[in-house]
Amino acid sequence: MHELGIVFEIIKIVDRFVAENDLSQVEKIVLEVGQLSSAVPKFLESCFPAAVNDTPYAHTKLEIIIIPAMAACNSCHEQFNLVEHRRVCPNCHSDQSTLLTGREFSIKEIVAC
Amino acid sequence: MKPFKVIEVKESIFEDNNKQADLLRMQLKSDKTFLLNLMSSPGSGKTTTLVKTMHSLKDVLNIGVMEADIDSDVDARTISETGVKVIQLHTGGMCHLDADMTKQGLNELEHEGLDLVILENVGNLVCPAEFDTGACKSAAILSVPEGDDKPLKYPLMFSVIDVLLINKIDTLPYFDFNYEAVVERVKKINPKIEIIPISAKTGEGLDRWTNWLQTEVNNWKNQSS
């Protein structure tokens, strides 16, 4: 049910954006979802139709861009994917790193008129 | 018909909620009410801990409790037996509370004149960590039987809280729970956190917890004046 609440939140933001920019029709909503954000893209997609049913966005498409979970090693500064390497630097095997990307969860853009 | 165009939004999904949460905190500051967001997994002893906390603080502070639950009032009834003001919030199937729901709850509770309001969030270590409720401080309870790997599995929860209560500490001899490892794991993601071992059942450590809470309530009030 986590994703459903998030989709409602997305619709609230789009609603406000549409009103502020005097738009009449939204064709597509583009999200950026980090690999480490707690939302599962597949579930976002599957609950989207239910959430937009009976709203002005019933025919709006949803596109999700996945942002990889990248980190920089605190010891050797190697940049690596945290999920693939299970949080351990593939170069020097340190488990201390600083997250660069992957927690994003935002509306990147909308296609509208 | 106007042509469709790509319009940059660049807004965090949590932006709207974060703004609401900041507004709510400002309101609470002028009302001199300290709101604590209490989170944990189901079965960690949240309600028992709350009941014990109410017993030791209800004579010194005016307290209110908001019980968030998907669909029951079991916890609210238990808490109301302590004599403090309590309301039940039903999240209607949602797994967390957001700032707007918290605000509605506070209005329903009629929090004017209350020194401390505790929000017992939905029992879950994932979603409540994502949404700022507008609380002044956040706490979580981890109980010994749940295991010492929880900070590794749910790092976000352990990074957003100000205080961690490690409950059921009296059962430590019976479980493979490495207390030092938990402290180390939690401090690594959240160096400023306060960690307090307690047993809501035996009362161990509860003084330190209620002292922490009382100090925070006083600090909040002094900041507002």
Side-chain angles (χ1 to χ4, degrees), chain B residues 41-206:
Chain B
S41 17
S44 64
K46 223 169 7 175
T47 307
T48 311
T49 305
L50 266 184
V51 168
K52 291 287 176 78
T53 308
M54 296 303 111
H55 281 307
S56 69
L57 288 178
K58 68 176 180 185
D59 295 333
V60 280
L61 297 172
N62 287 318
I63 309 175
V65 173
M66 299 195 287
E67 284 288 333
D69 214 329
I70 287 176
D71 188 27
S72 87
D73 64 354
V74 179
D75 293 340
R77 279 197 235 175
T78 313
I79 299 287
S80 70
E81 285 163 14
T82 65
V84 304
K85 218 169 168 182
V86 55
I87 59 155
Q88 179 74 50
L89 298 174
H90 281 156
T91 60
M94 299 267 271
C95 51
H96 64 271
L97 278 177
D98 62 18
D100 196 47
M101 289 188 258
T102 307
K103 192 178 168 187
Q104 287 176 27
L106 282 167
N107 289 343
E108 200 190 318
L109 185 69
E110 293 166 351
H111 71 281
E112 289 78 10
L114 293 180
D115 307 301
L116 168 66
V117 174
I118 299 181
L119 168 64
E120 186 177 334
N121 215 315
V122 180
N124 160 354
L125 291 178
V126 184
C127 324
E130 296 270 10
F131 289 85
D132 187 343
T133 55
C136 315
K137 293 276 166 154
S138 294
I141 303 177
L142 170 68
S143 65
V144 169
E146 288 172 71
D148 53 22
D149 57 351
K150 292 295 168 289
L152 298 174
K153 289 187 166 176
Y154 307 99
L156 185 65
M157 174 57 77
F158 293 89
S159 70
V160 299
I161 52 174
D162 302 284
V163 59
L164 173 67
L165 302 178
I166 301 186
N167 193 20
K168 307 188 189 177
I169 203 73
D170 52 314
T171 68
L172 206 52
Y174 310 104
F175 291 92
D176 290 328
F177 184 95
N178 187 336
Y179 181 82
E180 283 72 31
V182 168
V183 171
E184 194 194 312
R185 285 164 188 167
V186 173
K187 292 260 180 186
K188 200 157 140 186
I189 38 184
N190 187 346
K192 280 194 265 177
I193 197 170
E194 178 96 18
I195 300 175
I196 307 176
I198 62 161
S199 166
K201 193 177 169 199
T202 68
E204 184 183 344
L206 285 175

Side-chain angles (χ1 to χ4, degrees), chain A residues 1-2 5-6 9-10 12-13 16-17 22-27 31-32 37-38 87 95-96 103 105-113, chain B residues 1-17 19 92-96 98 100 126-127 130-131 152 155-156 188:
Chain A
M1 297 312 281
H2 179 63
I6 291 170
E9 199 66 30
I10 293 169
K12 251 187 352 200
I13 296 172
R16 203 186 61 224
F17 192 83
D22 207 16
L23 301 167
S24 53
Q25 209 181 335
V26 180
E27 158 128 316
L31 304 181
E32 279 179 331
S37 81
S38 67
R87 294 183 180 271
D95 64 349
Q96 302 283 317
R103 289 223 59 91
F105 192 11
S106 56
I107 302 176
K108 180 175 183 279
E109 59 199 26
I110 58 173
V111 178
C113 68
Chain B
M1 198 175 124
K2 285 189 290 180
F4 280 104
K5 55 185 178 193
V6 175
I7 308 162
E8 193 162 85
V9 182
K10 276 285 171 209
E11 191 169 335
S12 161
I13 309 288
F14 303 113
E15 189 67 24
D16 198 58
N17 185 59
K19 276 186 210 149
M94 299 267 271
C95 51
H96 64 271
D98 62 18
D100 196 47
V126 184
C127 324
E130 296 270 10
F131 289 85
L152 298 174
L156 185 65
K188 200 157 140 186

Side-chain angles (χ1 to χ4, degrees), chain A residues 35-72:
Chain A
Q35 254 186 322
L36 293 183
S37 81
S38 67
V40 181
K42 202 174 86 185
F43 294 158
L44 285 174
E45 279 162 3
S46 59
C47 66
F48 185 75
V52 294
N53 191 20
D54 285 334
T55 75
Y57 312 110
H59 300 289
T60 302
K61 291 190 208 63
L62 182 71
E63 182 187 327
I64 300 176
I65 299 170
I66 296 173
I67 312 274
M70 295 299 289

